[in-house]
Amino acid sequence: MLKDITLGQYYPVKSPVHNLDPRIKIILTIAFIVAVFLGTSLWAFIPVAAYIILAAVLAHLPLKLLLKGIKPLRIILIFTFLLNLFFNAGETVLLEVWKIRITLEGLLTAIRFSMRLVFLVSGASLLTLTTPPVVLTDGMERLLSPLRKIGFPAHELAMMMSIALRFIPVLLEEADKIMKAQMARGADFESGNLIQRAKSMVPLLVPLFVSAFRRAGDLAMAMEARCYHGGEGRTRLRVLKLTMNDLYACLITAALIVIVVLI
Amino acid sequence: MDKFILQTENVSYAYEEGEGLALKNVSLGFRAGEMTAVLGHNGSGKSTLAKLLNGLYIPTEGKVTVCGMDTSDDTHTWDIRRNAGMVFQNPDNQLVASIVRDDVGFGLENIGVPSEEMPARIEKALNAVGMLQFIDRAPHMLSGGQKQRIAIAGILAMQPRALILDEATAMLDPKGRQDVFDIVQRLNREQGITVVWITHFMEEAARCGRVIVMHEGCCVMDGTPEQVFTRAEEMRAMRLDVPPMVALGDLLRARGLPVSREAMDVDAMAREVLKCQ
């Protein structure tokens, strides 16, 4: 069962959004997040929401998938909302019970912060839903590569990320195997309190780390045998080319920022 | 140009200075188009030999040449590794990318092949190992044998002259082992790629054109499978078995049945036995 996990949350369909240059998509995601924070009035969230919905429709994404990305956040969302609601010193009191005072300003801030969180996460999910991890690391490497001049290891970082992606399922499978082997010899991973359970993970983690180091050694040798010698003189399998769609996407995003600032 | 694609001359190798030699004074040549099996028990030096053959290790003494290039000369390192491709034992620990297409392209990116040429070379290499339909799949969804075939394709895309397989089938199930061996044998026959097949499976060695036996860092036997496997007593002394059909042939001949020494697999042996009736 662990063998069949899919990495990331990429939603594989063909769409104009999927086909955008990954570099553009990363930049636009950052721009979108900036737009979310630029808005001061609640009305600013209308164009932001429209933008997300438009992108999701163009990407043939079911809205359900975007909402799924927000679900794990619900506790943080509730906290943000309540904290802002109760601990905001405002003027216009809406409700006062015993020591709790809810003001109009507090309510508005609470809504604003929760909305920001929701849009922040859905913007980021939009990127990962429409871009396969390999393409994403590729795009990041190229965006960061100008920084190589000041010694920033752009290629190495991207290489590490793609190797990590490659080995997550391998190590998961291995952890599963070790766990079953330990359980067969009477190890107990499920009962006891939190500390006991954490302690019972030690016999799982030690062999897992030992094997990860061995794999790293093997992989380094295999990479060298395949002529790997860092990022210099390397060509790329994926050719990234900007298209008209990239331009349109930039224009739409720029328009969003202008509208949000004006509101 | 040397007539040997891969050649070792009086090569010795020690993992660390002052330690015992893992390889002692080995002189071997591998001709173009040859398929050679290297047999040996654990610690016999066969894996060390493999890593010397493409410059992953540099000999402590002696000289290794690949297509005439000395492995100790580091201006040739990448040319050497391009020409003498290597496949390792563990299928998981040699695939780099999380998509088959990118993994096969990894070597091409490293040696600086122009981007326009890559797709065609990747597809050709995958086709040669019969894995073209898996081009967009993730390696962790494939079986061990399929992963090894991807690893072979990754090497093939670089268009090497020699392929060194270091126990490439040791971790596979019988079906995967058979598939991988068949593909390598076909590449050897059809594309003339020189193959060094390191293994401890006797059945596989019996199907190669030449067999080398390593023992305690030395090359102790070198010849056709017939020549090597008839020395069954010596093989057993080195804790190596002979292929089951060779052992059976020996027993039959001892009982006076004139079966040929060349019958090394079940089908050939069956024909021989039928002839004797």
Side-chain angles (χ1 to χ4, degrees):
Chain A
M1 62 137 197
L2 271 174
K3 244 189 130 168
D4 300 321
I5 59 158
T6 46
L7 279 174
Q9 44 172 358
Y10 179 58
Y11 184 71
V13 289
K14 285 202 187 313
S15 87
V17 178
H18 284 69
N19 287 339
L20 288 180
D21 189 308
R23 292 169 295 183
I24 297 291
K25 269 195 275 192
I26 294 169
I27 294 174
L28 293 187
T29 306
I30 296 170
F32 173 75
I33 291 170
V34 171
V36 168
F37 279 92
L38 278 177
T40 41
S41 92
L42 280 182
W43 296 111
F45 289 115
I46 293 172
V48 167
Y51 179 86
I52 277 284
I53 292 168
L54 175 73
V57 169
L58 284 176
H60 306 310
L61 287 177
L63 226 49
K64 214 173 60 198
L65 267 179
L66 272 182
L67 295 177
K68 227 175 92 188
I70 299 167
K71 226 173 126 192
L73 269 177
R74 59 190 186 274
I75 294 174
I76 299 177
L77 268 176
I78 293 169
F79 260 102
T80 320
F81 187 82
L82 293 181
L83 280 178
N84 277 299
L85 189 62
F86 294 139
F87 298 101
N88 204 298
E91 312 265 284
T92 345
V93 178
L94 290 177
L95 192 73
E96 194 162 1
V97 184
W98 186 49
K99 275 185 182 172
I100 300 165
R101 207 165 69 137
I102 294 170
T103 62
L104 180 66
E105 287 82 2
L107 182 65
L108 290 178
T109 323
I111 294 173
R112 191 159 64 229
F113 272 89
S114 323
M115 290 295 257
R116 275 182 186 165
L117 260 181
V118 167
F119 285 116
L120 196 87
V121 174
S122 41
S125 329
L126 199 67
L127 176 69
T128 51
L129 280 166
T130 59
T131 325
V134 195
V135 179
L136 204 58
T137 47
D138 220 33
M140 277 175 81
E141 176 179 354
R142 282 180 218 221
L143 274 181
L144 294 174
S145 61
L147 294 179
R148 265 215 304 256
K149 287 198 189 81
I150 56 163
F152 185 80
H155 166 74
E156 287 76 5
L157 205 68
M159 196 67 192
M160 276 177 349
M161 276 174 64
S162 64
I163 290 175
L165 282 173
R166 160 80 186 89
F167 278 88
I168 287 168
V170 175
L171 290 176
L172 271 178
E173 208 183 320
E174 177 133 31
D176 190 49
K177 230 187 261 172
I178 297 171
M179 211 152 159
K180 288 207 176 100
Q182 308 272 28
M183 273 153 78
R185 287 182 279 156
D188 183 3
F189 292 108
E190 264 123 40
S191 58
N193 60 31
L194 204 65
I195 294 167
Q196 280 168 332
R197 259 158 58 188
K199 269 189 183 163
S200 70
M201 289 310 241
V202 173
L204 174 73
L205 289 177
V206 173
L208 195 64
F209 267 89
V210 170
S211 119
F213 278 112
R214 199 175 34 237
R215 282 182 196 282
D218 279 4
L219 183 72
M221 181 159 283
M223 283 168 73
E224 268 195 62
R226 286 168 75 184
C227 302
Y228 180 69
H229 50 279
E232 260 167 72
R234 223 164 167 258
T235 45
R236 312 303 304 261
L237 168 61
R238 274 170 231 282
V239 192
L240 296 185
K241 241 162 104 191
L242 296 177
T243 61
M244 283 313 276
N245 278 345
D246 292 308
L247 181 66
Y248 298 146
C250 287
L251 288 178
I252 296 173
T253 313
L256 171 76
I257 293 179
V258 171
I259 294 172
V260 167
V261 172
L262 287 182
I263 287 180
Chain B
M1 192 86 224
D2 225 305
K3 61 177 174 167
F4 293 118
I5 296 274
L6 307 167
Q7 193 177 20
T8 68
E9 289 167 66
N10 308 316
V11 165
S12 298
Y13 184 79
Y15 278 88
E16 261 165 62
E17 226 172 298
E19 257 186 43
L21 291 174
L23 219 58
K24 296 168 199 157
N25 200 24
V26 174
S27 295
L28 287 168
F30 299 93
R31 284 193 179 77
E34 216 173 23
M35 180 150 177
T36 310
V38 178
L39 281 173
H41 211 265
N42 285 346
S44 61
K46 55 190 199 305
S47 263
T48 313
L49 175 70
K51 286 171 186 131
L52 281 159
L53 285 177
N54 72 347
L56 282 172
Y57 294 165
I58 305 299
T60 315
E61 270 169 56
K63 191 171 128 182
V64 178
T65 51
V66 175
C67 303
M69 295 173 282
D70 190 338
T71 57
S72 62
D73 176 1
D74 52 6
T75 54
H76 292 314
T77 306
W78 311 116
D79 263 339
I80 286 168
R81 295 197 183 148
R82 236 207 66 172
N83 276 300
M86 180 129 167
V87 177
F88 296 82
Q89 181 177 11
N90 189 324
D92 269 321
N93 296 358
Q94 54 184 317
L95 300 182
V96 187
S98 46
I99 292 182
V100 168
R101 182 198 303 274
D102 291 75
D103 190 80
V104 177
F106 177 71
L108 298 179
E109 291 180 327
N110 291 336
I111 60 174
V113 172
S115 304
E116 315 80 72
E117 278 178 41
M118 281 191 208
R121 277 171 80 162
I122 291 169
E123 276 163 33
K124 194 171 159 228
L126 278 172
N127 200 25
V129 297
M131 292 290 291
L132 191 54
Q133 70 270 38
F134 294 96
I135 190 160
D136 286 316
R137 296 281 284 276
H140 71 270
M141 309 272 203
L142 304 177
S143 74
Q146 289 173 326
K147 279 185 243 185
Q148 280 306 53
R149 282 151 73 182
I150 299 298
I152 293 173
I155 304 295
L156 274 187
M158 293 198 278
Q159 299 169 341
R161 304 200 47 199
L163 200 54
I164 303 155
L165 299 105
D166 187 4
E167 299 206 48
T169 56
M171 295 179 71
L172 306 183
D173 56 72
K175 168 81 169 61
R177 198 186 301 163
Q178 183 73 37
D179 287 348
V180 170
F181 187 90
D182 288 346
I183 280 162
V184 172
Q185 194 169 44
R186 210 184 60 225
L187 291 172
N188 170 256
R189 285 182 185 154
E190 288 172 10
Q191 304 190 17
I193 294 173
T194 310
V195 175
V196 180
W197 182 271
I198 292 163
T199 184
H200 59 255
F201 292 111
M202 302 300 145
E203 311 89 293
E204 291 171 357
R207 290 175 60 193
C208 293
R210 176 185 173 197
V211 177
I212 287 170
V213 180
M214 304 282 299
H215 186 58
E216 291 179 350
C218 301
C219 164
V220 288
M221 291 185 208
D222 182 356
T224 62
E226 294 80 26
Q227 287 165 344
V228 168
F229 291 130
T230 46
R231 293 156 75 179
E233 282 312 307
E234 287 171 63
M235 295 281 286
R236 290 201 183 97
M238 289 181 281
R239 288 179 295 156
L240 284 172
D241 255 330
V242 293
M245 285 308 123
V246 175
L248 176 63
D250 282 346
L251 289 173
L252 291 175
R253 276 188 293 278
R255 296 289 178 96
L257 224 59
V259 292
S260 161
R261 290 193 177 279
E262 309 207 344
M264 294 209 171
D265 59 53
V266 179
D267 291 340
M269 183 53 78
R271 280 195 297 276
E272 285 294 313
V273 173
L274 285 174
K275 259 196 282 176
C276 293
Q277 284 185 332

